[in-house]
Amino acid sequence: MNKHYSILHISDLHKGENNDFDHLFASLCNDADSYDRNIPRPEIIVVCGDLAEGANGDNAEEKIVRQYDEVETFLNKLVQHFLNGDKSRIIIVPGNHDLYRGATINSMEAIPDAMRENAKERYLGGDPKYRWSWKDFCFYIINNDNEYASRFKFFVEFYNRFYDGIRSIDDCDMMNNVIDLPEYNIAFASFNSCYRIDHLNQIGAINTRAIVEAQPDLSKVFKYGRFIVGVWHHNISGIPTQTNYLDPRVLHSLTDFHIQLGLYGHQHHAEALYNYHDIFKQGRMTLISSGCLYGRGNTMPEGTHCQYNILEIEQNDNKINVTLHVREDETAWDIPSWRKKQIDGRDSYLMEFNLPTIDYKRILSDCLSLAKVDKDYENAVKTLISIRNFEPSANKFIDEFLKELSFDKICSVEFTPQTLSQIVSVLSASIETRAWKTFDNTINHAEKLGIHNPHIDMLIEESYKFR
């Protein structure tokens, strides 16, 4: 597969009340017209968290709801403009600004001084229910688990509304969607790096159980030869006075599970790192950070302007090149004016990766299990069709499993039959569903293959009764 496209990589959208997403949208559309000629327009969008700014105090919930309404309108416009309305090609994860701190405050109570020593032992021992507050100089305990779990309720409501019918989440701390885009031979593993984050704990973390439960899906896309990209919010290092970054040990597990590229935000400036390399397993993960897309004032590091990334992707059958292009606002005004930002003295930064070898035998085995154990004949057939040119025995099982599908589902698969049995199945389904275009295309294809059979002639005669 030879492919040349780009990914729009953005993060930290939390705009101020006096800023306008319409201004930002217009600037991004205008900037896309100014890319160098060799950079394709984005066909995938990755949003690495902090969609909302958040709010505290009176009317906080009302303000947060309004923020998500505004960002939803903005993202819908981006999807319409760059992706032709296809929301399956936008990947979104939450950031620390996307949690509702009012829920975490209401979920905790201060521990009396008489219980301070016991609380200290529990806290230092890593008990996840205990917190320390330097402001109040006391320990707190999470005493309302349901309230604490609701801290991402506004993000979850937005996410499920935005992706209606495409994908959804329930428990945000367990976010581990593996989003496969076969037409690009790429898959994204999306995680929430705000596990256990609240108003008293800013340390980034990904729920290890979420990573483990993503393994079957990651293994599947790896066997299909996909380039796997991890997406989360937090950076993996910080200055000594900071604790609000991700434990880098998580990269070991993500690399074990075949993730070669990690995309994140949070630190508000673009960065490309060859950060993790397992010398024993020869695993490597490259990390790319996107700057803050639309923050202002205290949210921006001194001397840093708004930024976003374009990842230019070029792939052939066994290799993939990722070129990072960073765009930076040069005005710090409400309507950004984007220009190239140099990376280590260069206009772009090239990274090379090897694509995994497709394991057709294991895919075939998974398909047989999918059909004969799970009775999911439809997805088994779709998968077998995708590998039949490389695994000839797949056609035998397509012949068998088509007999288990309804006529509607056979027509919905939309494939070119290669055997007499497949031709007969598609013709029969086309007659029953009155799909005459499919019927005619299948007859023409059978003639090109030189397949002639009395059963086909009989079906042609039968079709005349209904046309």
Side-chain angles (χ1 to χ4, degrees):
M1 172 189 288
N2 293 316
K3 199 76 177 175
H4 187 201
Y5 61 95
S6 74
I7 298 172
L8 176 64
H9 174 205
I10 61 178
S11 186
D12 299 79
L13 282 63
H14 40 68
K15 76 174 187 66
E17 289 188 3
N18 296 325
N19 300 127
D20 192 325
F21 271 136
D22 285 344
H23 297 166
L24 175 62
F25 174 71
S27 75
L28 292 173
C29 294
N30 187 63
D31 193 42
D33 295 333
S34 305
Y35 295 162
D36 291 343
R37 286 181 299 172
N38 62 317
I39 304 176
R41 285 170 62 85
E43 296 184 40
I44 298 171
I45 299 174
V46 174
V47 186
C48 287
D50 279 3
L51 282 73
E53 173 64 15
N56 298 308
D58 295 339
N59 303 318
E61 295 194 20
E62 180 181 327
K63 291 177 182 177
I64 294 172
V65 168
R66 185 168 63 251
Q67 290 171 16
Y68 276 112
D69 286 343
E70 291 174 348
V71 81
E72 183 175 3
T73 299
F74 167 70
L75 291 176
N76 276 324
K77 288 182 177 180
L78 276 188
V79 170
Q80 194 63 44
H81 184 79
F82 289 109
L83 312 183
N84 296 318
D86 183 3
K87 289 185 178 180
S88 70
R89 289 187 277 134
I90 181 172
I91 292 83
I92 300 173
V93 296
N96 54 299
H97 277 259
D98 292 311
L99 64 84
Y100 172 44
R101 296 176 186 274
T104 71
I105 292 171
N106 294 333
S107 72
M108 300 182 191
E109 67 175 355
I111 294 176
D113 288 343
M115 301 176 64
R116 188 183 181 97
E117 284 303 312
N118 178 62
K120 182 175 73 173
E121 291 180 9
R122 301 293 292 271
Y123 175 75
L124 295 177
D127 191 320
K129 294 180 73 71
Y130 285 79
R131 299 287 185 271
W132 169 256
S133 170
W134 285 105
K135 179 182 178 181
D136 302 326
F137 212 71
C138 72
F139 290 98
Y140 282 80
I141 185 172
I142 300 171
N143 65 345
N144 188 330
D145 291 334
N146 289 334
E147 183 75 21
Y148 188 83
S150 73
R151 69 197 191 285
F152 281 106
K153 64 181 180 180
F154 296 112
F155 175 82
V156 170
E157 289 172 0
F158 151 78
Y159 188 96
N160 293 337
R161 183 174 64 249
F162 182 82
Y163 283 116
D164 185 28
I166 298 173
R167 60 184 74 112
S168 64
I169 52 174
D170 180 20
D171 181 356
C172 199
D173 283 327
M174 279 296 295
M175 186 179 197
N176 60 359
N177 289 335
V178 177
I179 301 151
D180 186 23
L181 301 177
E183 62 272 35
Y184 296 94
N185 197 38
I186 193 170
F188 295 87
S190 58
F191 298 102
N192 178 10
S193 63
C194 304
Y195 177 54
R196 292 180 179 164
I197 279 185
D198 49 59
H199 67 291
L200 295 180
N201 174 38
Q202 297 300 308
I203 300 173
I206 298 175
N207 189 340
T208 53
R209 191 160 60 90
I211 298 174
V212 168
E213 292 188 6
Q215 187 276 329
D217 289 334
L218 289 171
S219 177
K220 178 180 177 181
V221 294
F222 176 74
K223 285 183 284 189
Y224 278 60
R226 302 286 191 262
F227 179 60
I228 307 178
V229 180
V231 181
W232 59 86
H233 179 65
H234 285 79
N235 50 295
I236 47 83
S237 63
I239 61 177
T241 57
Q242 291 179 335
T243 60
N244 63 340
Y245 52 87
L246 189 65
D247 186 336
R249 291 177 296 180
V250 72
L251 302 180
H252 190 101
S253 295
L254 297 180
T255 304
D256 271 354
F257 291 167
H258 317 299
I259 294 174
Q260 295 191 68
L261 177 65
L263 304 180
Y264 57 95
H266 186 56
Q267 62 187 13
H268 290 188
H269 66 270
E271 186 175 52
L273 299 171
Y274 283 93
N275 195 81
Y276 188 80
H277 190 192
D278 185 337
I279 60 174
F280 297 104
K281 296 183 179 180
Q282 297 302 304
R284 185 193 79 187
M285 185 189 300
T286 300
L287 303 174
I288 297 178
S289 169
S290 176
C292 182
L293 181 67
Y294 206 39
R296 290 290 185 265
N298 295 332
T299 65
M300 301 294 291
E302 185 176 352
T304 301
H305 290 192
C306 293
Q307 299 171 345
Y308 75 94
N309 295 337
I310 295 295
L311 305 179
E312 182 185 358
I313 310 294
E314 296 178 274
Q315 65 172 286
N316 55 33
D317 290 337
N318 55 19
K319 288 191 178 294
I320 183 166
N321 290 338
V322 179
T323 303
L324 170 62
H325 305 272
V326 178
R327 311 295 291 179
E328 184 174 63
D329 172 28
E330 61 182 347
T331 64
W333 193 45
D334 192 38
I335 304 176
S337 180
W338 304 102
R339 58 173 168 81
K340 294 178 186 176
K341 175 179 171 57
Q342 289 202 329
I343 310 164
D344 296 332
R346 293 172 287 176
D347 286 342
S348 60
Y349 195 90
L350 174 64
M351 295 148 280
E352 300 178 344
F353 302 88
N354 292 321
L355 289 173
T357 302
I358 302 175
D359 190 339
Y360 296 108
K361 292 293 184 185
R362 292 184 64 181
I363 294 173
L364 178 62
S365 176
D366 288 348
C367 286
L368 299 185
S369 176
L370 190 64
K372 296 184 177 181
V373 177
D374 299 335
K375 306 300 181 185
D376 188 354
Y377 295 101
E378 182 178 8
N379 282 317
V381 166
K382 289 179 179 179
T383 302
L384 288 167
I385 289 169
S386 71
I387 68 169
R388 63 184 176 179
N389 292 336
F390 308 95
E391 181 56 48
S393 62
N395 270 323
K396 177 180 71 172
F397 297 105
I398 295 172
D399 294 349
E400 177 184 341
F401 299 156
L402 282 174
K403 297 173 183 176
E404 304 294 334
L405 295 180
S406 68
F407 293 130
D408 285 339
K409 287 187 176 180
I410 290 175
C411 288
S412 70
V413 173
E414 294 184 353
F415 73 110
T416 302
Q418 290 185 347
T419 67
L420 173 60
S421 179
Q422 292 169 24
I423 289 170
V424 169
S425 293
V426 173
L427 290 176
S428 299
S430 300
I431 291 173
E432 291 296 325
T433 59
R434 307 298 189 263
W436 301 121
K437 183 176 180 180
T438 300
F439 185 93
D440 293 339
N441 289 340
T442 304
I443 291 296
N444 292 334
H445 183 67
E447 291 177 353
K448 290 179 182 178
L449 294 177
I451 296 178
H452 303 283
N453 183 272
H455 201 163
I456 294 177
D457 294 337
M458 183 186 70
L459 290 170
I460 293 174
E461 289 292 331
E462 185 177 349
S463 72
Y464 293 150
K465 302 175 184 178
F466 305 101
R467 301 186 75 160

